[in-house]
Amino acid sequence: MHKIQNENISVDLVRDPSHPGVVQVRLYNRGITVDVINIGCAITGIYTSDRYGNYKNIVAAFGDISFYRVNDVYLGAVVGRYANRIQGGCFLLDGREVRLSINNGHNHLHGGVEGFSHKLWSLVSLQHNGTECRAKFSYTSPDGEEGYPGELIASVEYILDGRGRLHLLYEAVSSQSTPVNLTNHTYFNLTGFEDPTVLGHLLTINAASYTEKNAGNTSTGIILPVAETPLDFRTPRLLADGIGCFGADMGYDHNFVLQQNPENTLIRAAVLQEPATGRSLTVYTSKPGLQVYTANYWDGSITGIQGKPYIRHGAVALETQAFPGSVRHRHFPDTILRPGEIYRATTIFAFSLGDEIQGQHNEAISHN
Ligand code: BGC
């Protein structure tokens, strides 16, 4: 079992000879450990203490790393080139039809058959300066991969800042105009899977509306109010409350329209709290949307890194993103990256114990 270390800050690199090319990094900073593997740039561990000092991994991860190359659950992974579903896998870009690979019913999901989540990323740098730990990874996606135009060079930097915050900094440049929507697909269970479901977690989301979807789970382009629906998380709400209201979805799988912020500020998008352990996660982001997905298709067939089976509603993913299918809905915020431009996005996962949560729900913070 992983233990809190004696020194305040460290970075480590682990190579496993039985998996050539695979590297795992461990960032440790003042009581929090973050593990990342270069397959899908996936977060495989976030260890924090609860109010009794129990140190647990509070994210879902595969016990066997070979699953990271082939899976449809995206545990902890960076998802791209374009997260969420694009109906029919096609859209118009500057008057030309783009056809993407189809990997989810009739639709394109999470970057296609082998999206960024399943690729081997390169470790660019790993360091700490006594205050914060940093690990940066990059992936070059060839022109035409999964049908996307242009060679896209993407990078993700993880920064563990010593104040309980994990920063995810995304950047990308492209040789041709192409859609980009990068997210991270970490699933949280703030009990460290001691409780096999997140039904007892409280969630608050800074959103008064959500994007409607059709039966195929793709966006209709219509924005609807959350008021008087099970999607109203403007004040803390138990996940158990509304999780049974969505028929075939079997739980939450919705994109929330986050309150807008002035440029260069991050919105406090959501707060996830677990009353028994006192653990709390606050998500800040520069992105306009948040997909909340409560692991509705987990069926116990995966035994996670905690040695426990992952069952339905075992965890919740809080995926900061562009609105689903934005490429097909021109009134949604634009997601096309042009040559010469730099795609930049930031998300912060901030960990604390319940009583430490400060500030107002609509607090905005700067990030430079
Ligand atoms: C999507 C779900 C999908 C899941 C796959 C989520 O981001 O919203 O619809 O089933 O990813 O693990």
Side-chain angles (χ1 to χ4, degrees):
M1 177 62 192
H2 179 60
K3 293 271 190 311
I4 301 181
Q5 303 180 6
N6 288 331
E7 67 267 47
N8 279 334
I9 185 164
S10 61
V11 294
D12 288 298
L13 177 67
V14 182
R15 287 179 206 278
D16 178 348
S18 52
H19 297 278
V22 176
V23 296
Q24 290 190 267
V25 302
R26 167 161 287 181
L27 313 180
Y28 176 81
N29 204 348
R30 292 165 180 83
I32 295 190
T33 302
V34 173
D35 291 335
V36 180
I37 193 168
N38 67 330
I39 308 170
C41 215
I43 295 174
T44 59
I46 300 180
Y47 293 78
T48 73
S49 290
D50 70 7
R51 62 156 67 97
Y52 307 107
N54 297 312
Y55 203 53
K56 300 270 182 212
N57 186 356
I58 58 170
V59 302
F62 293 109
D64 175 349
I65 64 174
S66 44
F67 286 119
Y68 280 97
R69 290 312 287 256
V70 189
N71 73 81
D72 59 1
V73 282
Y74 306 91
L75 303 188
V78 168
V79 172
R81 181 176 306 197
Y82 205 87
N84 219 304
R85 288 177 180 80
I86 297 174
Q87 187 173 346
C90 65
F91 60 96
L92 286 177
L93 175 56
D94 300 333
R96 193 173 66 87
E97 189 181 57
V98 176
R99 288 201 161 271
L100 303 174
S101 58
I102 301 297
N103 62 323
N104 184 258
H106 299 295
N107 305 314
H108 178 86
L109 172 67
H110 289 339
V113 177
E114 193 180 298
F116 291 11
S117 45
H118 293 68
K119 301 287 187 188
L120 214 52
W121 290 58
S122 303
L123 178 63
V124 177
S125 57
L126 175 66
Q127 56 191 302
H128 78 75
N129 62 5
T131 307
E132 53 188 28
C133 306
R134 290 173 172 255
K136 186 172 185 177
F137 297 84
S138 78
Y139 173 67
T140 300
S141 169
D143 180 16
E145 188 175 55
E146 303 287 341
Y148 289 102
E151 180 189 79
L152 186 87
I153 303 173
S155 70
V156 178
E157 187 166 25
Y158 294 101
I159 305 174
L160 187 59
D161 72 5
R163 292 177 298 146
R165 297 179 172 202
L166 177 65
H167 305 236
L168 287 73
L169 272 49
Y170 304 87
E171 276 189 11
V173 291
S174 179
S175 62
Q176 293 176 42
S177 295
T178 192
V180 182
N181 179 20
L182 302 178
T183 190
N184 176 280
H185 209 290
T186 293
Y187 294 85
F188 296 93
N189 177 321
L190 298 182
T191 72
F193 292 88
E194 291 299 298
D195 184 336
T197 77
V198 288
L199 298 177
H201 285 46
L202 290 163
L203 182 61
T204 316
I205 305 176
N206 196 2
S209 51
Y210 68 103
T211 52
E212 188 192 51
K213 53 184 194 167
N214 58 28
N217 227 342
T218 56
S219 186
T220 63
I222 295 170
I223 292 180
L224 294 174
V226 297
E228 290 168 42
T229 77
L231 299 172
D232 190 350
F233 284 95
R234 288 173 294 177
T235 53
R237 179 175 199 143
L238 207 55
L239 280 172
D241 268 2
I243 208 163
C245 299
F246 300 103
D249 272 352
M250 296 189 294
Y252 287 103
D253 192 7
H254 296 82
N255 173 65
F256 291 82
V257 174
L258 298 174
Q259 177 184 298
Q260 295 300 299
N261 252 350
E263 233 180 302
N264 290 329
T265 61
L266 304 180
I267 188 71
R268 181 191 272 209
V271 180
L272 183 68
Q273 294 165 285
E274 203 288 308
T277 59
R279 285 196 186 91
S280 177
L281 161 66
T282 304
V283 180
Y284 300 88
T285 190
S286 61
K287 301 183 193 180
L290 179 76
Q291 184 84 13
V292 174
Y293 176 59
T294 46
N296 306 328
Y297 287 93
W298 285 8
D299 59 5
S301 59
I302 295 170
T303 296
I305 201 165
Q306 293 84 0
K308 310 218 164 132
Y310 289 163
I311 63 169
R312 180 172 299 153
H313 306 151
V316 56
L318 301 170
E319 304 158 54
T320 57
Q321 59 172 9
F323 298 168
S326 291
V327 281
R328 295 176 58 92
H329 303 290
R330 296 204 168 169
H331 56 293
F332 281 178
D334 186 30
T335 53
I336 304 301
L337 177 69
R338 306 278 173 188
E341 293 177 348
I342 303 179
Y343 169 93
R344 282 198 180 91
T346 300
T347 291
I348 299 175
F349 295 137
F351 303 96
S352 59
L353 289 174
D355 4 330
E356 294 170 9
I357 300 174
Q358 315 263 323
Q360 298 300 307
H361 181 55
N362 61 358
E363 167 207 29
I365 60 167
S366 305
H367 188 271
N368 298 307

